[in-house]
Amino acid sequence: MKNVKKLVALVAAAAMMVGLGACSTSRGGGASGEGSKIEKGATIGISMPTKSEERWNKDGNNLKAKLEKAGYKVILSFADDKPAQQNADIENMVNNSAKVVVVASKDGTAVGPAVEKAKEAGAKVIAYDRLIMNTKAVDYYATFQLEQVGVLEANYIIDKLGLKNGAKGPFNIELFAGSADDNNAKYFFKGAWDLLQPYFKSGVLVNPSNHGGGLNADSTVDASWQKIAVESWKTANAQKDMESILDSTYAQGQKLDAVLSPYDGISQGIINAIQQKRPDMKPNTDTWPVITGQDAMEIAVANIAKGLQGETVFKDVNKLAEAVYQMVVEIAEGKEVSGLNGSFNNGQIDVKSKLLDPVSITKDNLSDLVKANYVSQEKFDKLTKE
């Protein structure tokens, strides 16, 4: 009899566990499927770092237009280069029940507390182009192959100076990195330095100015990049730095062969400084240095056409906006996000990432920007008119 009672008790317990398992599965299914869908008309937040730079206006408005066309309400904000303002903007999105928050951070670390509030409120967080650091409150990251940007810039310099063809130099080169509060800047510089450093070791490239403490054959990325950083990526800051370099090192007619610039706004500051301090340097002649850049800004299009800037790295923000749009749509539909092809560690977690390919743009393929619908033919013609 006791054995019968024990058997009945075991059967009942098993039935209860099955029931609990079924309930648990049902709730779990709701969390990843129907229950996690976002209705049309819901709010999506987009936080951009500044309105003062051309590309962030394009990025923000491109994504906003796509999401609004798909039926979502969009809050687009620009932080005026102020981390505190960006945090306040994101908190406002949370207060307005944003279901997804897309953040191109001004300061990847400072924005952490704000996205943590968004995450706690149930929103998905997507880091846009710049990784959000030192927090677990990041679901996805969308950007370009960051080191490849530096690779393209360095290869352009290597090609124009004929280094692979055995040119011995020594060639004078000055190097700049992006803003120290932007995590991407380190990756851009690493991609370039990995290729340029061997030429420093062989003595073919030299950095005579000692800018930021100077770079040499033994310099490492971690120890060097912030020393040559341009605060907030600002043209005026780059111009000031370059004027100091020219005054200290090139004031007696010394030749400047190349400048590694990670961004078109910095390139413009470099160009301004050269034109002011060394008017003997003439574009489209051997007296003018090889200058790189990034973002295919309108001023860069004009500068490349005039021979003031040799190259820019084009990161098609239309494609980046499309990639993030697809992320948001898949999240809204309760689907698994597709197209993830990498990950970046932000100091806390490995963030699943969607990485796009950048393209090197020179005078030879400048019109590709029109083909990509990045700039209109009319605008292109005005920018490239001699």
Side-chain angles (χ1 to χ4, degrees):
M1 188 67 179
K2 286 182 180 179
N3 288 339
V4 173
K5 286 182 178 180
K6 284 182 179 180
L7 181 60
V8 170
L10 286 171
V11 171
M16 185 178 293
M17 291 302 292
V18 170
L20 286 172
C23 290
S24 176
T25 302
S26 176
R27 285 197 297 270
S32 62
E34 294 295 325
S36 65
K37 288 188 176 181
I38 299 171
E39 294 181 358
K40 291 292 177 70
T43 298
I44 309 295
I46 304 171
S47 175
M48 293 284 137
T50 182
K51 207 170 188 177
S52 65
E53 294 177 24
E54 179 185 317
R55 72 150 297 188
W56 299 117
N57 288 280
K58 286 186 175 181
D59 284 74
N61 286 297
N62 280 350
L63 185 54
K64 180 176 184 285
K66 287 178 179 292
L67 290 168
E68 287 181 337
K69 187 175 181 180
Y72 299 99
K73 179 182 177 182
V74 177
I75 299 174
L76 171 62
S77 65
F78 295 88
D80 194 29
D81 278 321
K82 299 173 183 175
Q85 180 61 52
Q86 186 159 48
N87 283 0
D89 291 341
I90 294 169
E91 288 181 21
N92 177 61
M93 294 168 189
V94 173
N95 292 336
N96 281 276
S97 303
K99 302 301 182 185
V100 180
V101 176
V102 179
V103 181
S105 58
K106 162 58 185 169
D107 183 322
T109 299
V111 80
V115 298
E116 285 165 6
K117 288 182 180 179
K119 190 71 175 172
E120 288 168 5
K124 292 287 187 181
V125 176
I126 300 173
Y128 186 103
D129 200 39
R130 296 175 173 178
L131 186 57
I132 300 169
M133 304 299 294
N134 301 322
T135 178
K136 295 180 180 179
V138 188
D139 294 287
Y140 302 102
Y141 179 34
T143 189
F144 291 83
Q145 299 280 2
L146 300 180
E147 287 189 27
Q148 185 63 18
V149 172
V151 167
L152 293 173
E153 292 169 348
N155 272 330
Y156 182 76
I157 291 172
I158 290 167
D159 178 61
K160 298 307 287 185
L161 296 182
L163 304 190
K164 286 184 178 178
N165 295 327
K168 298 299 182 184
F171 297 101
N172 292 334
I173 183 172
E174 299 300 328
L175 304 100
F176 291 80
S179 188
D181 58 8
D182 184 347
N183 184 62
N184 287 7
K186 176 182 176 180
Y187 291 101
F188 298 149
F189 181 68
K190 182 181 185 304
W193 187 241
D194 284 351
L195 293 181
L196 296 177
Q197 188 175 27
Y199 295 103
F200 276 80
K201 289 182 176 180
S202 66
V204 175
L205 291 178
V206 292
N207 177 221
S209 73
N210 207 37
H211 168 55
L215 280 87
N216 56 49
D218 298 321
S219 297
T220 63
V221 172
D222 286 338
S224 303
W225 83 270
Q226 291 187 338
K227 294 179 180 179
I228 57 172
V230 177
E231 185 181 356
S232 297
W233 302 87
K234 293 293 187 182
T235 297
N237 294 336
Q239 182 171 341
K240 181 180 178 182
D241 289 347
M242 191 65 198
E243 286 177 355
S244 177
I245 289 169
L246 292 170
D247 285 340
S248 65
T249 308
Y250 299 91
Q252 304 304 317
Q254 293 91 334
K255 191 171 190 323
L256 173 60
D257 296 290
V259 183
L260 175 72
S261 168
Y263 164 61
D264 296 336
I266 291 174
S267 309
Q268 184 60 52
I270 291 163
I271 292 166
N272 292 345
I274 294 172
Q275 290 179 321
Q276 181 172 330
K277 297 290 184 176
R278 288 290 302 271
D280 59 304
M281 293 185 183
K282 303 295 183 184
N284 298 307
T285 73
D286 290 341
T287 64
W288 191 262
V290 178
I291 301 174
T292 61
Q294 177 185 183
D295 278 350
M297 293 172 63
E298 290 182 0
I299 189 63
V301 174
N303 285 338
I304 290 172
K306 295 172 184 175
L308 291 166
Q309 182 174 329
E311 180 246 21
T312 186
V313 176
F314 174 42
K315 300 189 306 184
D316 192 339
V317 296
N318 294 327
K319 290 183 178 180
L320 185 58
E322 178 63 25
V324 174
Y325 166 74
Q326 291 297 335
M327 275 186 175
V328 174
V329 169
E330 287 171 340
I331 290 169
E333 293 177 351
K335 296 179 179 177
E336 185 176 343
V337 173
S338 62
L340 301 172
N341 58 346
S343 67
F344 277 83
N345 188 280
N346 74 347
Q348 289 284 327
I349 58 172
D350 291 325
V351 183
K352 292 176 286 188
S353 306
K354 185 177 289 190
L355 308 175
L356 308 180
D357 293 321
V359 177
S360 182
I361 296 291
T362 67
K363 203 167 188 176
D364 292 338
N365 63 342
L366 197 54
S367 61
D368 284 358
L369 298 174
V370 178
K371 296 174 185 175
N373 294 316
Y374 186 75
V375 61
S376 70
Q377 185 67 58
E378 181 182 8
K379 173 65 75 171
F380 182 83
D381 291 342
K382 288 181 180 179
L383 292 171
T384 57
K385 187 176 181 180
E386 295 294 340

